[in-house]
Amino acid sequence: MNSFPTPLDSLANRRQFLRYISATGLLATLDGLLPAWAREPAGLATGPAARAPGEPIDLFLRWQDLAFGGRRGRAITLNGTVPGPLLRLREGEDATIRVHNELGEDSSVHWHGILVPFEMDGVPGVSFPGIRAGETFTYRFPVRQSGTYWYHSHSGLQEQLGHYGPLIIDPAEPEPYRYDREYVVMLSDWTFENPYKVLAKLKKLSAYYNFQQRTVGDFFRDMSEDGLALTVKERLAWGNMRMSPTDIADITGYTYTYLVNGLAPGDNWTGLFAPGERVRLRLINAATMSYFNVRIPGLPMTVVQADGQDVQPVETDELQIAVAETFDVIVHPREDRAYTLFAEAMDRSGFGRGTLAPRPGMTAPVPGLRERPLRTMVDMGMDMSAMGSMRGMEMGGGKMPSGAADHGDHPGQMTGMAMGEGEQACVPGMTPCTGPEVGRHGPDTHGPGNTSVARVQRDRLGEPGTGLEQVGHRVLVYTDLRRLADDFDERPADREMELHLTGNMERYMWSFDGKKFSEVQGPIKFNYGERLRLTMVNDTMMEHPIHLHGMWMELENGHGRRIPRKHTISVKPAERLSVLIAVDAPGRWAFHCHLLYHMDMGMFRVVRVS
């Protein structure tokens, strides 16, 4: 296994460089661009916002040279910072936000998860022309919801360059949970490479950033354990699919530095608490391509919101947060000690790190990166009965650690035990808890834009996510989420629609139903006023965080009237899931994978509601 350089490794060089920068005063450092909300160790201000409801907000988009870790680059700043300033609105107000584009190129701002008139949604070419260089666009919309959200560019690859920030909407009514202080925890991935050069490398070699490919040594190890015939059969199967079980993330810690509130791990963002306080953490994954597994060793997290919507509280020890998702958690540290907030990249190539502590300067041990996960034949949608006992089918690609936990008392993971005919049993220490088979793929393989199909489609909502199958503690799963509000739309679905998430990894093409956005003839048509069931099938081996603008997706996770509302849903490899949509927002809306380079390469559609 190759090891990656981490920001901690480059700390000495960084200090040397900062001394140089300090002497010359030429450039900003990454931490020099921090917004006020990320610098405040005592937490966000509580109570009524300093800004009067309806008072206009101004955002200025500019370029800023920066440097850290001995490297230099350029970032897009919003009011001079990365991430951008915290926008704090109040439910019921009419928001006015003026965006001044001083970049010298077109730009935009999209309010992720916010229900706005489509003209205010901020997607160039779909809902408005964009904001031309040197011009100002004024967004005006009524604020009809509350919760934790964020905003970002929807122009080209600008989001990779720092064009994002947090957005909180305070509720009109008191919230159903109590906390003493709160923090935004915004996760992101930063590279000094030009994003378009990153994309060019992926187009030439999709595994360019994957330094965790299997080696000759792995082959001989597998052969000694499984025998030559099975090992060769397994290698041939992956080769025929032009895939590798190490394909977890397209872009890795080889080029990314993983940030917490704009700070690299060595800079250690810190939030303070007094022992006994309840602390609300508003987790936002603003990364362009990185899923994170978030945990605070020694401190359970109670999830109270998902994608800005209140859910019935559920306690967990770890959660996987997909790109563009948000989770609000409350922690209750009682001891006079520090805790590490650890955001491990899903492929284990790096991590973001922060600290919760009673006093500044305190730290806690930083966990090591866990063993790399591997894709399995389940991820590929293979028919298990036809493959025998091949490696990777049994253990999620990794060895079961000794003392692995029995998740039998975790309601979410119980779903994976509701096995259908021919399903594996969820037996700790023996097999992974894969969800039941719920469908088989038809004869349509979606053309040359797609290289594989999920022959066997599974319900994976009860699975914790790649790399978390055997961690030995509680992990949040989608079946844990139950909406708190009693406002379910009882109407049955008027219509059903099925979309397949497709791609060609070797050519780095991503699409729906085998067609890139540039190849489709028109928008997807939703009928205004209808109740729609949308089924999504992931025919690829990658997770895709699918985002619908303008309307909620209600995830059918088995909880009847309590199914949760989501603006972004992570669809696992070979997964089949469905959502209900109350089609109540006329206009043109974006629907896409929120992995930035997947969206740019074609996994994007326009939905027209009329």
mmCIF file of all heavy atoms in Angstrom, residues 37 44 57 59 84-90 93 95 97 109-114 116 141 143 145-152 164-170 184 186 282 284 305 308 326 328:
data_model
loop_
_atom_site.group_PDB
_atom_site.id
_atom_site.type_symbol
_atom_site.label_atom_id
_atom_site.label_comp_id
_atom_site.label_asym_id
_atom_site.label_seq_id
_atom_site.Cartn_x
_atom_site.Cartn_y
_atom_site.Cartn_z
ATOM 1 N N TRP A 37 -16.486 33.768 10.897
ATOM 2 C CA TRP A 37 -17.167 32.669 11.592
ATOM 3 C C TRP A 37 -16.239 31.499 11.856
ATOM 4 O O TRP A 37 -16.439 30.753 12.825
ATOM 5 C CB TRP A 37 -18.394 32.210 10.804
ATOM 6 C CG TRP A 37 -18.123 31.690 9.425
ATOM 7 C CD1 TRP A 37 -18.167 32.388 8.260
ATOM 8 C CD2 TRP A 37 -17.741 30.353 9.061
ATOM 9 N NE1 TRP A 37 -17.839 31.586 7.191
ATOM 10 C CE2 TRP A 37 -17.581 30.328 7.662
ATOM 11 C CE3 TRP A 37 -17.520 29.182 9.790
ATOM 12 C CZ2 TRP A 37 -17.214 29.178 6.964
ATOM 13 C CZ3 TRP A 37 -17.149 28.032 9.088
ATOM 14 C CH2 TRP A 37 -16.999 28.039 7.700
ATOM 15 N N LEU A 44 -20.662 30.347 17.081
ATOM 16 C CA LEU A 44 -21.454 31.360 16.394
ATOM 17 C C LEU A 44 -22.276 32.152 17.396
ATOM 18 O O LEU A 44 -22.664 31.642 18.450
ATOM 19 C CB LEU A 44 -22.394 30.693 15.393
ATOM 20 C CG LEU A 44 -21.750 29.771 14.357
ATOM 21 C CD1 LEU A 44 -22.821 29.169 13.469
ATOM 22 C CD2 LEU A 44 -20.712 30.520 13.525
ATOM 23 N N ILE A 57 -27.842 41.891 1.496
ATOM 24 C CA ILE A 57 -26.496 41.343 1.709
ATOM 25 C C ILE A 57 -25.711 41.537 0.416
ATOM 26 O O ILE A 57 -26.251 41.331 -0.678
ATOM 27 C CB ILE A 57 -26.577 39.839 2.049
ATOM 28 C CG1 ILE A 57 -27.317 39.628 3.380
ATOM 29 C CG2 ILE A 57 -25.188 39.214 2.105
ATOM 30 C CD1 ILE A 57 -27.651 38.175 3.671
ATOM 31 N N LEU A 59 -22.288 40.385 -1.732
ATOM 32 C CA LEU A 59 -21.182 39.430 -1.900
ATOM 33 C C LEU A 59 -20.312 39.897 -3.060
ATOM 34 O O LEU A 59 -20.825 40.160 -4.163
ATOM 35 C CB LEU A 59 -21.711 38.025 -2.196
ATOM 36 C CG LEU A 59 -22.394 37.257 -1.057
ATOM 37 C CD1 LEU A 59 -22.899 35.905 -1.575
ATOM 38 C CD2 LEU A 59 -21.441 37.057 0.114
ATOM 39 N N GLY A 84 -16.584 31.316 1.971
ATOM 40 C CA GLY A 84 -17.219 32.618 1.990
ATOM 41 C C GLY A 84 -17.852 32.936 3.342
ATOM 42 O O GLY A 84 -17.864 32.104 4.257
ATOM 43 N N PRO A 85 -18.377 34.128 3.479
ATOM 44 C CA PRO A 85 -18.989 34.521 4.756
ATOM 45 C C PRO A 85 -20.223 33.681 5.067
ATOM 46 O O PRO A 85 -20.866 33.138 4.167
ATOM 47 C CB PRO A 85 -19.361 35.987 4.515
ATOM 48 C CG PRO A 85 -19.529 36.106 3.036
ATOM 49 C CD PRO A 85 -18.509 35.177 2.449
ATOM 50 N N LEU A 86 -20.516 33.589 6.344
ATOM 51 C CA LEU A 86 -21.739 32.916 6.770
ATOM 52 C C LEU A 86 -22.928 33.824 6.495
ATOM 53 O O LEU A 86 -22.993 34.950 6.993
ATOM 54 C CB LEU A 86 -21.666 32.602 8.267
ATOM 55 C CG LEU A 86 -22.962 32.105 8.924
ATOM 56 C CD1 LEU A 86 -23.422 30.799 8.298
ATOM 57 C CD2 LEU A 86 -22.777 31.950 10.439
ATOM 58 N N LEU A 87 -23.846 33.325 5.677
ATOM 59 C CA LEU A 87 -25.095 34.058 5.434
ATOM 60 C C LEU A 87 -26.132 33.504 6.403
ATOM 61 O O LEU A 87 -26.403 32.299 6.403
ATOM 62 C CB LEU A 87 -25.553 33.890 3.989
ATOM 63 C CG LEU A 87 -24.557 34.305 2.910
ATOM 64 C CD1 LEU A 87 -25.203 34.233 1.530
ATOM 65 C CD2 LEU A 87 -23.998 35.697 3.161
ATOM 66 N N ARG A 88 -26.694 34.382 7.204
ATOM 67 C CA ARG A 88 -27.664 33.919 8.203
ATOM 68 C C ARG A 88 -28.984 34.637 7.963
ATOM 69 O O ARG A 88 -29.102 35.857 8.158
ATOM 70 C CB ARG A 88 -27.158 34.193 9.617
ATOM 71 C CG ARG A 88 -27.959 33.461 10.679
ATOM 72 C CD ARG A 88 -27.105 33.035 11.859
ATOM 73 N NE ARG A 88 -27.795 32.030 12.651
ATOM 74 C CZ ARG A 88 -27.227 31.287 13.586
ATOM 75 N NH1 ARG A 88 -25.945 31.414 13.848
ATOM 76 N NH2 ARG A 88 -27.917 30.390 14.269
ATOM 77 N N LEU A 89 -29.951 33.887 7.508
ATOM 78 C CA LEU A 89 -31.272 34.425 7.185
ATOM 79 C C LEU A 89 -32.262 33.945 8.240
ATOM 80 O O LEU A 89 -31.932 33.152 9.112
ATOM 81 C CB LEU A 89 -31.716 33.961 5.789
ATOM 82 C CG LEU A 89 -30.729 34.197 4.640
ATOM 83 C CD1 LEU A 89 -31.275 33.614 3.341
ATOM 84 C CD2 LEU A 89 -30.423 35.687 4.480
ATOM 85 N N ARG A 90 -33.484 34.449 8.104
ATOM 86 C CA ARG A 90 -34.531 34.021 9.035
ATOM 87 C C ARG A 90 -35.754 33.578 8.250
ATOM 88 O O ARG A 90 -36.176 34.246 7.285
ATOM 89 C CB ARG A 90 -34.898 35.163 9.990
ATOM 90 C CG ARG A 90 -35.882 34.718 11.080
ATOM 91 C CD ARG A 90 -35.905 35.670 12.263
ATOM 92 N NE ARG A 90 -36.740 35.132 13.344
ATOM 93 C CZ ARG A 90 -36.340 34.229 14.226
ATOM 94 N NH1 ARG A 90 -35.107 33.753 14.178
ATOM 95 N NH2 ARG A 90 -37.153 33.791 15.175
ATOM 96 N N GLU A 93 -38.556 35.839 6.144
ATOM 97 C CA GLU A 93 -38.113 37.119 5.588
ATOM 98 C C GLU A 93 -38.027 37.023 4.063
ATOM 99 O O GLU A 93 -38.030 35.928 3.480
ATOM 100 C CB GLU A 93 -36.761 37.530 6.162
ATOM 101 C CG GLU A 93 -35.580 36.763 5.624
ATOM 102 C CD GLU A 93 -34.248 37.431 5.975
ATOM 103 O OE1 GLU A 93 -33.988 38.536 5.475
ATOM 104 O OE2 GLU A 93 -33.474 36.832 6.757
ATOM 105 N N ALA A 95 -35.404 37.659 1.305
ATOM 106 C CA ALA A 95 -33.956 37.848 1.200
ATOM 107 C C ALA A 95 -33.603 38.636 -0.049
ATOM 108 O O ALA A 95 -34.191 38.435 -1.121
ATOM 109 C CB ALA A 95 -33.259 36.499 1.182
ATOM 110 N N ILE A 97 -29.977 39.480 -1.952
ATOM 111 C CA ILE A 97 -28.524 39.246 -1.949
ATOM 112 C C ILE A 97 -27.960 39.739 -3.275
ATOM 113 O O ILE A 97 -28.317 39.225 -4.340
ATOM 114 C CB ILE A 97 -28.204 37.754 -1.746
ATOM 115 C CG1 ILE A 97 -28.867 37.237 -0.456
ATOM 116 C CG2 ILE A 97 -26.699 37.540 -1.680
ATOM 117 C CD1 ILE A 97 -28.742 35.744 -0.248
ATOM 118 N N VAL A 109 -24.062 32.159 -8.306
ATOM 119 C CA VAL A 109 -24.198 31.602 -6.950
ATOM 120 C C VAL A 109 -25.497 30.806 -6.916
ATOM 121 O O VAL A 109 -26.561 31.318 -7.268
ATOM 122 C CB VAL A 109 -24.235 32.697 -5.867
ATOM 123 C CG1 VAL A 109 -24.462 32.058 -4.493
ATOM 124 C CG2 VAL A 109 -22.938 33.498 -5.850
ATOM 125 N N HIS A 110 -25.380 29.555 -6.509
ATOM 126 C CA HIS A 110 -26.547 28.692 -6.322
ATOM 127 C C HIS A 110 -26.751 28.473 -4.833
ATOM 128 O O HIS A 110 -25.789 28.221 -4.092
ATOM 129 C CB HIS A 110 -26.326 27.345 -7.024
ATOM 130 C CG HIS A 110 -27.263 26.265 -6.578
ATOM 131 N ND1 HIS A 110 -28.636 26.363 -6.737
ATOM 132 C CD2 HIS A 110 -27.046 25.069 -5.953
ATOM 133 C CE1 HIS A 110 -29.211 25.274 -6.246
ATOM 134 N NE2 HIS A 110 -28.278 24.478 -5.766
ATOM 135 N N TRP A 111 -28.003 28.555 -4.383
ATOM 136 C CA TRP A 111 -28.343 28.383 -2.964
ATOM 137 C C TRP A 111 -28.755 26.934 -2.767
ATOM 138 O O TRP A 111 -29.904 26.559 -3.016
ATOM 139 C CB TRP A 111 -29.461 29.363 -2.578
ATOM 140 C CG TRP A 111 -29.221 30.710 -3.188
ATOM 141 C CD1 TRP A 111 -29.863 31.250 -4.269
ATOM 142 C CD2 TRP A 111 -28.222 31.664 -2.798
ATOM 143 N NE1 TRP A 111 -29.331 32.478 -4.567
ATOM 144 C CE2 TRP A 111 -28.330 32.760 -3.680
ATOM 145 C CE3 TRP A 111 -27.270 31.704 -1.782
ATOM 146 C CZ2 TRP A 111 -27.499 33.879 -3.575
ATOM 147 C CZ3 TRP A 111 -26.444 32.811 -1.685
ATOM 148 C CH2 TRP A 111 -26.566 33.879 -2.573
ATOM 149 N N HIS A 112 -27.824 26.124 -2.305
ATOM 150 C CA HIS A 112 -28.004 24.671 -2.320
ATOM 151 C C HIS A 112 -29.050 24.235 -1.290
ATOM 152 O O HIS A 112 -28.873 24.421 -0.083
ATOM 153 C CB HIS A 112 -26.665 23.986 -2.027
ATOM 154 C CG HIS A 112 -26.700 22.505 -2.197
ATOM 155 N ND1 HIS A 112 -26.272 21.866 -3.340
ATOM 156 C CD2 HIS A 112 -27.153 21.531 -1.385
ATOM 157 C CE1 HIS A 112 -26.437 20.571 -3.212
ATOM 158 N NE2 HIS A 112 -26.980 20.335 -2.026
ATOM 159 N N GLY A 113 -30.131 23.638 -1.787
ATOM 160 C CA GLY A 113 -31.186 23.121 -0.914
ATOM 161 C C GLY A 113 -32.273 24.125 -0.590
ATOM 162 O O GLY A 113 -33.234 23.782 0.107
ATOM 163 N N ILE A 114 -32.135 25.345 -1.071
ATOM 164 C CA ILE A 114 -33.101 26.391 -0.756
ATOM 165 C C ILE A 114 -34.211 26.394 -1.807
ATOM 166 O O ILE A 114 -33.941 26.338 -3.013
ATOM 167 C CB ILE A 114 -32.421 27.776 -0.696
ATOM 168 C CG1 ILE A 114 -31.215 27.727 0.249
ATOM 169 C CG2 ILE A 114 -33.424 28.830 -0.232
ATOM 170 C CD1 ILE A 114 -31.555 27.360 1.671
ATOM 171 N N VAL A 116 -36.459 28.227 -3.905
ATOM 172 C CA VAL A 116 -36.551 29.598 -4.428
ATOM 173 C C VAL A 116 -37.281 29.564 -5.767
ATOM 174 O O VAL A 116 -37.380 28.513 -6.411
ATOM 175 C CB VAL A 116 -35.140 30.201 -4.624
ATOM 176 C CG1 VAL A 116 -34.390 30.299 -3.296
ATOM 177 C CG2 VAL A 116 -34.324 29.377 -5.627
ATOM 178 N N PHE A 141 -35.689 36.425 -2.934
ATOM 179 C CA PHE A 141 -36.565 35.269 -2.749
ATOM 180 C C PHE A 141 -37.117 35.245 -1.330
ATOM 181 O O PHE A 141 -36.457 35.696 -0.386
ATOM 182 C CB PHE A 141 -35.830 33.959 -3.062
ATOM 183 C CG PHE A 141 -34.534 33.748 -2.326
ATOM 184 C CD1 PHE A 141 -34.520 33.147 -1.073
ATOM 185 C CD2 PHE A 141 -33.315 34.138 -2.890
ATOM 186 C CE1 PHE A 141 -33.325 32.929 -0.400
ATOM 187 C CE2 PHE A 141 -32.111 33.932 -2.216
ATOM 188 C CZ PHE A 141 -32.108 33.331 -0.975
ATOM 189 N N VAL A 143 -37.947 33.441 2.087
ATOM 190 C CA VAL A 143 -37.298 32.348 2.815
ATOM 191 C C VAL A 143 -38.394 31.505 3.465
ATOM 192 O O VAL A 143 -39.047 31.934 4.410
ATOM 193 C CB VAL A 143 -36.319 32.900 3.867
ATOM 194 C CG1 VAL A 143 -35.654 31.742 4.617
ATOM 195 C CG2 VAL A 143 -35.272 33.784 3.201
ATOM 196 N N GLN A 145 -38.128 28.178 4.662
ATOM 197 C CA GLN A 145 -37.678 26.989 5.385
ATOM 198 C C GLN A 145 -36.629 27.415 6.403
ATOM 199 O O GLN A 145 -36.277 28.590 6.492
ATOM 200 C CB GLN A 145 -37.071 26.004 4.391
ATOM 201 C CG GLN A 145 -35.836 26.580 3.678
ATOM 202 C CD GLN A 145 -35.529 25.893 2.362
ATOM 203 O OE1 GLN A 145 -35.915 26.379 1.309
ATOM 204 N NE2 GLN A 145 -34.807 24.786 2.439
ATOM 205 N N SER A 146 -36.127 26.470 7.149
ATOM 206 C CA SER A 146 -35.035 26.746 8.092
ATOM 207 C C SER A 146 -34.044 25.601 8.038
ATOM 208 O O SER A 146 -34.300 24.556 7.435
ATOM 209 C CB SER A 146 -35.588 26.923 9.507
ATOM 210 O OG SER A 146 -36.217 25.721 9.945
ATOM 211 N N GLY A 147 -32.880 25.793 8.664
ATOM 212 C CA GLY A 147 -31.897 24.725 8.721
ATOM 213 C C GLY A 147 -30.525 25.143 8.233
ATOM 214 O O GLY A 147 -30.256 26.324 8.003
ATOM 215 N N THR A 148 -29.681 24.132 8.050
ATOM 216 C CA THR A 148 -28.288 24.338 7.630
ATOM 217 C C THR A 148 -28.143 24.032 6.139
ATOM 218 O O THR A 148 -28.502 22.935 5.698
ATOM 219 C CB THR A 148 -27.353 23.413 8.441
ATOM 220 O OG1 THR A 148 -27.498 23.712 9.833
ATOM 221 C CG2 THR A 148 -25.904 23.598 8.028
ATOM 222 N N TYR A 149 -27.594 24.981 5.418
ATOM 223 C CA TYR A 149 -27.426 24.831 3.971
ATOM 224 C C TYR A 149 -26.086 25.438 3.567
ATOM 225 O O TYR A 149 -25.269 25.790 4.421
ATOM 226 C CB TYR A 149 -28.585 25.513 3.221
ATOM 227 C CG TYR A 149 -29.936 24.990 3.636
ATOM 228 C CD1 TYR A 149 -30.678 25.610 4.645
ATOM 229 C CD2 TYR A 149 -30.467 23.841 3.050
ATOM 230 C CE1 TYR A 149 -31.909 25.117 5.053
ATOM 231 C CE2 TYR A 149 -31.689 23.334 3.448
ATOM 232 C CZ TYR A 149 -32.411 23.974 4.440
ATOM 233 O OH TYR A 149 -33.622 23.466 4.845
ATOM 234 N N TRP A 150 -25.885 25.590 2.280
ATOM 235 C CA TRP A 150 -24.670 26.255 1.815
ATOM 236 C C TRP A 150 -24.904 26.809 0.423
ATOM 237 O O TRP A 150 -25.974 26.603 -0.159
ATOM 238 C CB TRP A 150 -23.469 25.319 1.876
ATOM 239 C CG TRP A 150 -23.519 24.075 1.022
ATOM 240 C CD1 TRP A 150 -24.419 23.048 1.101
ATOM 241 C CD2 TRP A 150 -22.619 23.709 -0.033
ATOM 242 N NE1 TRP A 150 -24.129 22.083 0.177
ATOM 243 C CE2 TRP A 150 -23.035 22.446 -0.520
ATOM 244 C CE3 TRP A 150 -21.491 24.309 -0.588
ATOM 245 C CZ2 TRP A 150 -22.370 21.791 -1.554
ATOM 246 C CZ3 TRP A 150 -20.815 23.658 -1.616
ATOM 247 C CH2 TRP A 150 -21.258 22.408 -2.093
ATOM 248 N N TYR A 151 -23.936 27.538 -0.073
ATOM 249 C CA TYR A 151 -24.038 28.120 -1.410
ATOM 250 C C TYR A 151 -22.720 27.925 -2.140
ATOM 251 O O TYR A 151 -21.664 27.753 -1.518
ATOM 252 C CB TYR A 151 -24.417 29.608 -1.323
ATOM 253 C CG TYR A 151 -23.453 30.468 -0.551
ATOM 254 C CD1 TYR A 151 -22.396 31.117 -1.184
ATOM 255 C CD2 TYR A 151 -23.603 30.649 0.831
ATOM 256 C CE1 TYR A 151 -21.514 31.924 -0.478
ATOM 257 C CE2 TYR A 151 -22.718 31.447 1.544
ATOM 258 C CZ TYR A 151 -21.672 32.085 0.884
ATOM 259 O OH TYR A 151 -20.790 32.871 1.602
ATOM 260 N N HIS A 152 -22.786 27.952 -3.466
ATOM 261 C CA HIS A 152 -21.573 27.721 -4.259
ATOM 262 C C HIS A 152 -21.793 28.155 -5.695
ATOM 263 O O HIS A 152 -22.934 28.363 -6.134
ATOM 264 C CB HIS A 152 -21.180 26.241 -4.204
ATOM 265 C CG HIS A 152 -22.237 25.300 -4.731
ATOM 266 N ND1 HIS A 152 -22.402 25.035 -6.072
ATOM 267 C CD2 HIS A 152 -23.198 24.575 -4.098
ATOM 268 C CE1 HIS A 152 -23.392 24.170 -6.238
ATOM 269 N NE2 HIS A 152 -23.902 23.881 -5.049
ATOM 270 N N TYR A 164 -17.471 28.902 -2.390
ATOM 271 C CA TYR A 164 -18.536 28.269 -1.609
ATOM 272 C C TYR A 164 -18.569 28.890 -0.215
ATOM 273 O O TYR A 164 -17.581 29.521 0.225
ATOM 274 C CB TYR A 164 -18.321 26.755 -1.511
ATOM 275 C CG TYR A 164 -16.981 26.364 -0.930
ATOM 276 C CD1 TYR A 164 -16.774 26.303 0.452
ATOM 277 C CD2 TYR A 164 -15.893 26.068 -1.750
ATOM 278 C CE1 TYR A 164 -15.548 25.966 0.995
ATOM 279 C CE2 TYR A 164 -14.658 25.735 -1.222
ATOM 280 C CZ TYR A 164 -14.486 25.683 0.142
ATOM 281 O OH TYR A 164 -13.252 25.355 0.676
ATOM 282 N N GLY A 165 -19.686 28.715 0.473
ATOM 283 C CA GLY A 165 -19.804 29.236 1.831
ATOM 284 C C GLY A 165 -21.047 28.677 2.518
ATOM 285 O O GLY A 165 -21.923 28.093 1.871
ATOM 286 N N PRO A 166 -21.162 28.852 3.839
ATOM 287 C CA PRO A 166 -22.299 28.304 4.585
ATOM 288 C C PRO A 166 -23.494 29.249 4.621
ATOM 289 O O PRO A 166 -23.343 30.472 4.531
ATOM 290 C CB PRO A 166 -21.725 28.120 5.990
ATOM 291 C CG PRO A 166 -20.717 29.218 6.116
ATOM 292 C CD PRO A 166 -20.148 29.428 4.733
ATOM 293 N N LEU A 167 -24.661 28.662 4.773
ATOM 294 C CA LEU A 167 -25.904 29.431 4.851
ATOM 295 C C LEU A 167 -26.785 28.793 5.932
ATOM 296 O O LEU A 167 -27.061 27.596 5.872
ATOM 297 C CB LEU A 167 -26.607 29.422 3.495
ATOM 298 C CG LEU A 167 -27.752 30.409 3.248
ATOM 299 C CD1 LEU A 167 -28.011 30.526 1.729
ATOM 300 C CD2 LEU A 167 -29.054 30.017 3.929
ATOM 301 N N ILE A 168 -27.169 29.585 6.913
ATOM 302 C CA ILE A 168 -28.039 29.106 7.986
ATOM 303 C C ILE A 168 -29.334 29.908 7.958
ATOM 304 O O ILE A 168 -29.308 31.137 7.818
ATOM 305 C CB ILE A 168 -27.363 29.265 9.370
ATOM 306 C CG1 ILE A 168 -26.130 28.366 9.469
ATOM 307 C CG2 ILE A 168 -28.336 28.950 10.503
ATOM 308 C CD1 ILE A 168 -25.325 28.577 10.744
ATOM 309 N N ILE A 169 -30.435 29.204 8.098
ATOM 310 C CA ILE A 169 -31.730 29.878 8.198
ATOM 311 C C ILE A 169 -32.313 29.574 9.569
ATOM 312 O O ILE A 169 -32.589 28.409 9.900
ATOM 313 C CB ILE A 169 -32.691 29.413 7.093
ATOM 314 C CG1 ILE A 169 -32.079 29.689 5.707
ATOM 315 C CG2 ILE A 169 -34.029 30.154 7.224
ATOM 316 C CD1 ILE A 169 -32.927 29.177 4.564
ATOM 317 N N ASP A 170 -32.457 30.611 10.378
ATOM 318 C CA ASP A 170 -33.039 30.433 11.704
ATOM 319 C C ASP A 170 -34.550 30.245 11.574
ATOM 320 O O ASP A 170 -35.221 30.936 10.791
ATOM 321 C CB ASP A 170 -32.736 31.649 12.579
ATOM 322 C CG ASP A 170 -31.253 31.746 12.912
ATOM 323 O OD1 ASP A 170 -30.678 30.727 13.313
ATOM 324 O OD2 ASP A 170 -30.680 32.835 12.744
ATOM 325 N N VAL A 184 -20.319 25.992 12.754
ATOM 326 C CA VAL A 184 -20.320 25.430 11.403
ATOM 327 C C VAL A 184 -19.055 24.614 11.248
ATOM 328 O O VAL A 184 -17.964 25.057 11.639
ATOM 329 C CB VAL A 184 -20.359 26.556 10.343
ATOM 330 C CG1 VAL A 184 -20.033 26.002 8.957
ATOM 331 C CG2 VAL A 184 -21.721 27.231 10.332
ATOM 332 N N MET A 186 -17.360 23.067 8.109
ATOM 333 C CA MET A 186 -17.449 22.973 6.650
ATOM 334 C C MET A 186 -16.240 22.212 6.128
ATOM 335 O O MET A 186 -15.096 22.633 6.299
ATOM 336 C CB MET A 186 -17.507 24.376 6.054
ATOM 337 C CG MET A 186 -17.887 24.406 4.593
ATOM 338 S SD MET A 186 -18.453 26.048 4.089
ATOM 339 C CE MET A 186 -19.831 25.613 3.027
ATOM 340 N N ARG A 282 -22.808 21.990 12.843
ATOM 341 C CA ARG A 282 -23.505 22.004 11.552
ATOM 342 C C ARG A 282 -22.514 21.514 10.491
ATOM 343 O O ARG A 282 -21.728 22.287 9.962
ATOM 344 C CB ARG A 282 -24.000 23.417 11.240
ATOM 345 C CG ARG A 282 -25.015 23.962 12.259
ATOM 346 C CD ARG A 282 -25.399 25.388 11.912
ATOM 347 N NE ARG A 282 -26.342 26.006 12.848
ATOM 348 C CZ ARG A 282 -27.668 26.022 12.695
ATOM 349 N NH1 ARG A 282 -28.208 25.452 11.634
ATOM 350 N NH2 ARG A 282 -28.436 26.620 13.582
ATOM 351 N N ILE A 284 -21.196 20.368 7.048
ATOM 352 C CA ILE A 284 -21.487 20.632 5.631
ATOM 353 C C ILE A 284 -20.346 20.058 4.801
ATOM 354 O O ILE A 284 -19.181 20.394 5.036
ATOM 355 C CB ILE A 284 -21.586 22.153 5.353
ATOM 356 C CG1 ILE A 284 -22.649 22.806 6.240
ATOM 357 C CG2 ILE A 284 -21.876 22.411 3.877
ATOM 358 C CD1 ILE A 284 -22.623 24.338 6.192
ATOM 359 N N GLN A 305 -30.642 16.896 12.392
ATOM 360 C CA GLN A 305 -31.073 17.394 11.084
ATOM 361 C C GLN A 305 -30.307 16.658 9.992
ATOM 362 O O GLN A 305 -29.139 16.311 10.172
ATOM 363 C CB GLN A 305 -30.795 18.897 10.929
ATOM 364 C CG GLN A 305 -31.867 19.828 11.436
ATOM 365 C CD GLN A 305 -31.632 21.269 10.989
ATOM 366 O OE1 GLN A 305 -30.729 21.558 10.195
ATOM 367 N NE2 GLN A 305 -32.450 22.177 11.477
ATOM 368 N N GLY A 308 -30.831 19.984 6.367
ATOM 369 C CA GLY A 308 -31.588 21.134 6.868
ATOM 370 C C GLY A 308 -32.941 20.805 7.442
ATOM 371 O O GLY A 308 -33.623 21.685 7.968
ATOM 372 N N THR A 326 -25.673 17.829 4.240
ATOM 373 C CA THR A 326 -25.419 18.430 5.549
ATOM 374 C C THR A 326 -26.057 17.544 6.626
ATOM 375 O O THR A 326 -27.098 16.919 6.396
ATOM 376 C CB THR A 326 -26.003 19.856 5.676
ATOM 377 O OG1 THR A 326 -27.427 19.790 5.780
ATOM 378 C CG2 THR A 326 -25.620 20.727 4.498
ATOM 379 N N ASP A 328 -26.730 17.977 10.955
ATOM 380 C CA ASP A 328 -26.551 18.699 12.204
ATOM 381 C C ASP A 328 -26.512 17.678 13.328
ATOM 382 O O ASP A 328 -27.420 16.840 13.442
ATOM 383 C CB ASP A 328 -27.707 19.672 12.446
ATOM 384 C CG ASP A 328 -27.592 20.914 11.577
ATOM 385 O OD1 ASP A 328 -27.207 20.769 10.403
ATOM 386 O OD2 ASP A 328 -27.889 22.010 12.078
#
